[in-house]
Amino acid sequence: MQFRSLLASSAMLALLAGCAAGPTDQREEAGMTAAQANYQGTLPCRNCDGIDLDVTMMGEEMSVPEERTFTLNATYRNHPQTPPDENYAGNWEVLTGTPSDPSSTVYELTPNGDGQIYYFLRINERTLELIDPERRRFENGEMLQLQRR
């Protein structure tokens, strides 16, 4: 559960000042085409050197909901309290639109059991960006991006 509070703190540290969204180019790729996609990145952390995030999404956008699963692993770098890694698994959905771009694609990752729901804006075929539950981008959102591996 520390990840949720650190994630919220990280987002605030990313200078949340409302919507800092620009239009995204949705013409690049129509969506996820591979049966599995892995995204990695390091999020800012107030009390440590960063939170390494590794998200693997299985299934395709057109798959039945039961086939769209994910794992999310968070590892803290040099945290003074040395929290354990956090690991979540669950299902993901495809949502359409954000307040600033009604045609954008958003992935909603819902963990099984305890855990918060995560929202990622699809910037392009290779990049996801963590956004807030209102589907708004954070200012300095590039600090909250994951790259496809």
Side-chain angles (χ1 to χ4, degrees):
M1 295 306 166
Q2 287 180 333
F3 177 64
R4 283 188 278 167
S5 53
L6 281 177
L7 183 59
S9 297
S10 296
M12 295 307 280
L13 283 177
L15 301 175
L16 172 62
C19 295
T24 59
D25 187 358
Q26 294 299 316
R27 291 172 282 169
E28 287 188 17
E29 291 292 327
M32 249 185 241
T33 56
Q36 178 174 321
N38 178 255
Y39 296 88
Q40 296 175 345
T42 301
L43 304 180
C45 176
R46 180 174 38 163
N47 298 325
C48 66
D49 293 341
I51 304 169
D52 293 329
L53 205 60
D54 186 334
V55 177
T56 301
M57 298 170 64
M58 285 70 69
E60 298 179 7
E61 289 184 3
M62 302 313 262
S63 299
V64 295
E66 298 79 28
E67 292 178 1
R68 290 190 307 261
T69 61
F70 77 92
T71 60
L72 184 149
N73 302 308
T75 303
Y76 299 88
R77 287 190 194 171
N78 299 318
H79 193 284
Q81 297 173 342
T82 319
D85 291 354
E86 296 190 28
N87 303 294
Y88 301 100
N91 292 87
W92 60 274
E93 294 291 330
V94 181
L95 307 176
T96 302
T98 65
S100 63
D101 184 0
S103 65
S104 64
T105 299
V106 174
Y107 300 121
E108 177 185 73
L109 283 63
T110 305
N112 298 327
D114 289 338
Q116 73 178 36
I117 297 173
Y118 299 92
Y119 296 88
F120 289 96
L121 174 65
R122 183 179 178 278
I123 302 297
N124 59 44
E125 173 187 318
R126 305 211 50 84
T127 308
L128 297 182
E129 182 178 307
L130 183 68
I131 59 175
D132 76 12
E134 304 291 319
R135 292 194 244 171
R136 296 176 302 201
R137 294 176 74 181
F138 296 105
E139 189 172 309
N140 296 330
E142 66 276 357
M143 296 174 63
L144 303 172
Q145 291 183 353
L146 306 179
Q147 299 300 315
R148 190 169 181 170
R149 303 289 179 216

